[in-house]
Amino acid sequence: HPDLTIYEYMTSSSSSTATTTILQQEIDKSRNIIYLEPFQVLKLILQASDKRACRTYNHHNQLPLHCAIDTLMLNSSITDYHIVCQVLYTYISIYPEALMTRDGKSKLYPFAQIMAATYKSNTKTNGNNKAQQQQQQQQQIQ
């Protein structure tokens, strides 16, 4: 449509659906970039920091790997486990011995800590879904 301005083209009925789809895709890309940015920054910080930092325990006798597992795996808003794996891999590549170190709080090894966190996260999600279903059923009855 070379005779139409961009605004006219975007608001015309023939291009409305296509334009909406393209705009939605661009919005989704932007959200994804914003969402993943903290993980990318964390990964860069880990790679640039002193290697001894990954060997430092906190006041709960946890290594940064244990803290990362707690934070990343228990955050129910994280759905892209690929980026979680990248961050955890960065920790492990810097200090692989952390895999053989128990968490100070849970006393679990990292692989078991991940499984427990995944179970807690799934249970929490399923519990929220059940509560929502019960509320909907009660509303339907009333």
Side-chain angles (χ1 to χ4, degrees):
H1 304 284
D3 297 336
L4 297 177
T5 65
I6 293 174
Y7 175 78
E8 291 170 334
Y9 178 74
M10 290 179 69
T11 56
S12 70
S13 61
S14 64
S15 68
S16 179
T17 304
T19 302
T20 303
T21 303
I22 291 169
L23 288 174
Q24 188 59 47
Q25 289 172 350
E26 291 303 315
I27 290 169
D28 290 345
K29 284 180 190 176
S30 297
R31 283 186 186 145
N32 197 30
I33 290 169
I34 292 168
Y35 169 75
L36 295 177
E37 185 177 357
F39 300 111
Q40 298 297 345
V41 170
L42 176 60
K43 188 176 166 186
L44 290 172
I45 290 171
L46 284 171
Q47 291 169 341
S49 60
D50 189 332
K51 303 304 179 204
R52 292 176 291 181
C54 286
R55 297 178 176 155
T56 305
Y57 289 89
N58 68 7
H59 61 284
H60 294 293
N61 203 29
Q62 293 177 297
L63 289 169
L65 177 64
H66 301 125
C67 296
I69 291 169
D70 282 347
T71 303
L72 296 172
M73 297 303 294
L74 292 177
N75 185 343
S76 60
S77 66
I78 297 175
T79 56
D80 187 0
Y81 288 105
H82 178 71
I83 192 69
V84 172
C85 290
Q86 285 182 356
V87 172
L88 295 178
Y89 177 78
T90 303
Y91 277 108
I92 294 165
S93 65
I94 294 170
Y95 185 52
E97 292 84 3
L99 290 173
M100 300 305 294
T101 306
R102 291 180 185 261
D103 175 65
K105 282 183 174 178
S106 67
K107 308 300 184 219
L108 297 172
Y109 288 104
F111 71 90
Q113 187 184 1
I114 289 171
M115 290 170 41
T118 303
Y119 177 77
K120 282 182 188 178
S121 180
N122 289 339
T123 304
K124 180 180 168 185
T125 302
N126 291 339
N128 288 343
N129 290 342
K130 286 181 183 179
Q132 288 173 353
Q133 288 173 353
Q134 289 174 348
Q135 286 177 347
Q136 289 173 352
Q137 288 172 353
Q138 288 175 354
Q139 289 174 354
Q140 289 174 352
I141 293 170
Q142 297 171 354

